[in-house]
Structures are given as C-alpha cells and as structure tokens.
Amino acid sequence: MSSAQSVHSWDEPAGIAPRGTLVLLPGRGEHGGVYERFGRRISADGYRVRALGDASSDPEAVAEAATKLLRDEALPGPRVLVGSDTGASHAARLAALDGSGLDGLILAGLPTGARPAETAARDWEAELELRTACPTHRGRLTDDTAFRRGALAGPSAPESPTLETLEGISVPVLGLHGAEDTVSPLDEVRRVFRGLRGAELVSLAGTRHDVLNDVTHRTAAATVVLFLERLRLDSGLAPIAVTEDLV
C-alpha cells in the first residue's frame, strides 16, 4: 500500500458503543499520523477516525481509498469526510461528485485560490510560522521525518473549489478556519461559504492555517464533536434532550 493510501486509525475506548466515523484527508506535506492528537481526542468521544495520506501525491488513489471507507458497512454512521488544507479541496470535490455513503463534510483551512506570493515559506521556521502557533505541534512537525518540508509552497490543489464546483454538495458542511490564516485568508473563505446552502463556518481567533493542530485544537475538536452530535440527532441516532420548567 502506498503512503497516500496508508491508513492511521483511532477507535472508541473499550466498552463504548461507536457513534460514527470520520475519514480524514491531510494537506500538503502531511500524512495521517500528523493528526494523532486530533484522532485521539475525537475517538475518546466515541467516534472512529481513519486518516489517509496527502492527496496531492496521488489524488485518484486517495479518493478511491476514502470512498471505500465511506461505503464500508462495518464502520458506524454517520460517516463524515474531513479535509485539511488541500485535503479539504479534495474532500469538497469528492463530496460534490459522489456523495454516496457520506453524511457530512468538514473543511478545515480550505484553500480558496492561488497562494499569495507574500506567504511563500522561505525556510522551515517561516513555514512553521504559517502553519501553526502551537509549540507542541511545531515540535511534532520538526521531529517528523515522514513530513515533507516545503510542500506548503506548492500548488493549493489541482482545482481550487469555487461556488460552481461545490454546487453538487448535498450534505451538511462545517468549515473551520484560522482567523490569522495568511495561506488562505479568512475573507476569501467567507465568500465561498456564503454560497453554500446550510453550511456553517467557524473562525478561531489566534489560529493559523493548520486549524486542527493549532493552539485552539481543543476548541476545534469540540466544534467537530458538536457538529457530529447534530448529525446524529438529525438522523435519529441521538436522544433528544428536553428542557422542562420546574415549578
């Protein structure tokens, strides 16, 4: 199995009934293991997480692997596709072209067009500045020999998502974006999400491009879990809470 198709997995704790499945597509230079902290946190709430490789290295293979996981009846629903950076572009395109087996879509750090020249990473420290303000994640990336340095300076995607290319998306969409993201500025992302019917965009203050792995990673994970719980509620899988006035 190629690195693009290799799967990193995190499951719910023993004795806990699984509540759903997330299939995650990483961004430029990344691999599934980069999302270990996110995977562990989400799985602790009962959701299974399956993280693939960088889709930019082999888009067709990653799309095929993601589709296979989303259609796997052995994995519990709701099934949600998550993408970060270019992974978000590929996830959006996959959801627009073929949403079978898909119950929801999460787009984190979505690239919206040509990368501004001023954000080009001159060296490793400059790339870290663009990616994340989290010292723990910076250390993780620095020590990760499987991580491809300099990839952030490459193309954002074969085809950056536009309102036209996203028209085919029919599932609920959650967007997560760093308010201080200079790789994909928030204002440009807002314009895309305004055209997505029923989509929700959450911007996180003090957060840069790697929104799932920045200083606000706990808030990002909590926002994801709330989105997943709403999907379960809409599908009838979750109990409905009723507030009563006590006299």
Side-chain angles (χ1 to χ4, degrees):
M1 180 179 292
S2 71
S3 59
Q5 299 176 64
S6 60
V7 181
H8 288 75
S9 302
W10 296 275
D11 287 346
E12 71 281 356
I16 300 296
R19 300 179 68 79
T21 302
L22 281 71
V23 177
L24 192 153
L25 305 184
R28 283 166 284 186
E30 299 177 332
H31 56 86
V34 168
Y35 291 86
E36 179 179 9
R37 181 168 64 179
F38 175 78
R40 289 184 180 276
R41 189 174 297 277
I42 298 299
S43 64
D45 275 307
Y47 291 90
R48 294 181 182 176
V49 180
R50 301 290 184 265
L52 296 170
D54 180 359
S56 63
S57 61
D58 194 345
E60 291 185 5
V62 171
E64 182 180 348
T67 300
K68 183 177 179 180
L69 286 169
L70 291 169
R71 294 175 179 173
D72 187 351
E73 294 298 330
L75 292 174
R79 300 185 186 92
V80 177
L81 188 59
V82 185
S84 179
D85 181 53
T86 50
S89 297
H90 287 286
R93 185 171 182 273
L94 186 61
L97 292 175
D98 181 8
S100 59
L102 186 63
D103 298 301
L105 179 65
I106 300 174
L107 305 176
L110 177 71
T112 54
R115 179 182 51 82
E118 62 270 18
T119 67
R122 299 177 302 278
D123 52 32
W124 178 235
E125 287 302 318
E127 181 172 349
L128 284 176
E129 283 291 319
L130 293 175
R131 285 187 174 277
T132 178
C134 176
T136 300
H137 192 55
R138 285 185 173 210
R140 166 66 189 263
L141 294 181
T142 299
D143 295 337
D144 190 345
T145 57
F147 181 87
R148 291 190 297 114
R149 298 187 182 191
L152 196 61
S156 59
E159 180 183 351
S160 296
T162 63
L163 294 181
E164 290 74 20
T165 59
L166 299 179
E167 282 182 350
I169 296 177
S170 59
V171 297
V173 180
L174 169 67
L176 288 171
H177 214 85
E180 277 71 56
D181 187 342
T182 57
V183 176
S184 178
L186 179 59
D187 285 345
E188 296 177 11
V189 174
R190 285 193 179 112
R191 283 195 286 272
V192 173
F193 272 82
R194 286 192 187 107
L196 279 174
R197 185 175 55 218
E200 174 187 5
L201 176 61
V202 177
S203 62
L204 299 179
T207 303
R208 300 175 189 175
H209 190 55
D210 292 356
V211 64
L212 299 180
N213 278 314
D214 212 327
V215 289
T216 53
H217 62 90
R218 292 178 180 84
T219 303
T223 304
V224 167
V225 170
L226 288 173
F227 176 72
L228 297 172
E229 290 295 304
R230 289 200 300 273
L231 285 181
R232 284 175 51 82
L233 181 64
D234 292 341
S235 66
L237 293 173
I240 300 176
V242 178
T243 301
E244 298 182 0
D245 295 325
L246 300 179
V247 179

